[in-house]
Amino acid sequence: MTDKLPELRLTAEHLHLAEADAERLLDGYRIRRGDRVMDPKAQVVGEVIKQLRSPDSLPTPQESRGQFRKMVELLDEPPPASIKVSDLACPGPIGQVPLRLYAPEGTGARPLLLYFHGGGWIQGDLETHHGACGKLAAWSGCLVLAVDYRLAPEHKFPAGLEDCLAAWRWLAANAATLGADPARLAVGGDSAGGNLAAAVCQILAAGGEPGPAAQLLIYPSLDLGWQLPSHRELADAYILPRIRVRWYTELYLSSPEQAADIRVSPLWAEDLRGQPPAMIVTAGFDPLLDDGRRYADRLEASGVPVAYREYTGQIHAFISLTRVIPQGNECLREMAGWLKSRLG
């Protein structure tokens, strides 16, 4: 991503331009990568966020959490009003793990998606992914159970992963009490949450434990060595520049050597046979593009059914910015359709 916008000074007012107006505004300034062209709404959003949050400076973890919450609050839509939302908790390694259940209209035992939010393992919570989880529930007909796992740097690897495993094991034993069908449980997550979902599936399979019927990985981070081609080629990407992903990793891990642990970098697990059928979504202007693409290829080579979908013009986090990037809702609907067809 080498194109710049030297003469344009975008402001928050530009975020709500119609797509055609955004395209006209960016005439002559469109960002390209090979034959890819960035979605005009995504480019406007990325440029405004870059001006509000300089990619060359790093906040404290607390400041980063506040920035993330504010960004989603302003730029994402709430879940449909028809969704019933309940806060609960399950036992975890050191106490209760907060959960949030999203229930669409309907009766009888239904499929359930256990969802791990993104945020670089240091930020994100039940509120930042409220809209995405509620929409997935409404549009798929599945229950969605979001997990508020522990965050770094206060709780470094493997604390968050252990919370996610605890949530899965509790769900597997208690699905019926939530109105869920124990035979139709899935796991999923975006970005760091996709990392955790993939790791949970691998750990369960390696230990011979019952695993989910499906996994939904949304622009997952699967190689924390950060040496894949898209990591280098998109080092100056909107939302997730290389300086920030390196910072997330340093806060999440206790040492650089831990990046080689397959629970941290599940892309490099030797044996992927027996993994759940997967849908993997990537974005063409996201440094995590190759993480998802290569994992899809490896799963398919191991005989695992994979639905791979690449939104070639999109940036990282676009499903959480639906108020200003309409294609985020298109993606959520597509994923919901896959869940419906896969889980029934």
Side-chain angles (χ1 to χ4, degrees):
M1 265 175 50
T2 57
D3 302 58
K4 305 297 180 184
L5 300 177
E7 300 175 19
L8 290 180
R9 185 68 181 175
L10 303 185
T11 69
E13 294 179 358
H14 292 102
L15 291 171
H16 300 283
L17 287 173
E19 185 167 344
D21 293 332
E23 195 166 354
R24 282 192 290 271
L25 175 69
L26 296 171
D27 185 36
Y29 296 96
R30 297 294 293 280
I31 292 177
R32 290 174 166 79
R33 182 174 176 241
D35 60 354
R36 302 166 185 268
V37 182
M38 188 178 291
D39 175 82
K41 291 290 294 182
Q43 186 172 342
V44 169
V45 170
E47 191 63 24
V48 170
I49 290 175
K50 185 179 76 172
Q51 292 173 10
L52 296 175
R53 188 190 76 179
S54 171
D56 299 324
S57 61
L58 293 172
T60 65
Q62 292 73 24
E63 290 169 340
S64 184
R65 290 165 189 164
Q67 290 172 356
F68 189 32
R69 286 193 204 100
K70 192 66 175 176
M71 179 181 74
V72 174
E73 178 186 333
L74 293 174
L75 304 184
D76 199 21
E77 297 169 330
S82 61
I83 292 296
K84 181 181 178 182
V85 180
S86 307
D87 287 332
L88 37 139
C90 71
I94 64 166
Q96 295 292 99
V97 178
L99 308 170
R100 181 171 291 174
L101 181 66
Y102 296 82
E105 295 176 324
T107 59
R110 287 171 283 179
L112 184 147
L113 171 68
L114 185 68
Y115 195 88
F116 310 134
H117 66 76
W121 305 275
I122 73 155
Q123 60 191 9
D125 51 36
L126 298 177
E127 299 304 328
T128 58
H129 288 68
H130 187 56
C133 288
K135 290 175 190 174
L136 283 172
W139 296 340
S140 70
C142 299
L143 300 166
V144 175
L145 186 63
V147 181
D148 197 13
Y149 57 86
R150 285 173 290 166
L151 299 175
E154 296 88 347
H155 304 283
K156 288 180 174 285
F157 169 80
L161 177 58
E162 289 174 345
D163 285 355
C164 293
L165 277 165
W168 165 261
R169 290 168 176 148
W170 176 83
L171 172 63
N174 294 276
T177 67
L178 301 178
D181 180 349
R184 294 186 291 164
L185 305 178
V187 298
D190 64 291
S191 195
N195 169 287
L196 295 167
V200 163
C201 290
Q202 291 184 11
I203 290 168
L204 294 172
E209 296 182 65
Q215 56 181 323
L216 174 63
L217 309 180
I218 309 163
Y219 32 76
S221 174
L222 301 173
D223 173 26
L224 269 65
W226 300 111
Q227 294 303 315
L228 296 176
S230 62
H231 298 163
R232 298 188 294 270
E233 293 166 10
L234 290 162
D236 60 345
Y238 291 137
I239 307 292
L240 202 60
R242 191 171 181 85
I243 185 176
R244 192 164 283 259
V245 295
R246 288 289 195 182
W247 180 64
Y248 290 152
T249 307
E250 290 168 2
L251 292 175
Y252 180 49
L253 303 181
S254 297
S255 69
E257 290 73 27
Q258 286 183 327
D261 189 320
I262 60 170
R263 296 173 298 165
V264 169
S265 297
L267 175 62
W268 305 118
E270 289 186 13
D271 187 0
L272 294 177
R273 291 174 297 178
Q275 290 299 297
M279 181 174 188
I280 299 178
V281 172
T282 58
F285 288 85
D286 182 352
L288 303 183
L289 171 63
D290 285 340
D291 297 57
R293 180 189 281 166
R294 292 197 180 193
Y295 200 52
D297 289 344
R298 291 205 59 215
L299 286 172
E300 284 190 324
S302 299
V304 178
V306 177
Y308 177 73
R309 178 70 160 95
E310 189 172 307
Y311 281 79
T312 57
Q314 279 305 333
I315 59 175
H316 191 72
F318 75 103
I319 70 158
S320 295
L321 307 171
T322 60
R323 200 186 297 274
V324 289
I325 301 182
Q327 203 169 51
N329 279 333
E330 178 185 323
C331 180
L332 286 162
R333 288 189 181 277
E334 186 173 357
M335 295 186 293
W338 180 82
L339 288 168
K340 186 181 294 187
S341 64
R342 174 55 62 176
L343 300 176

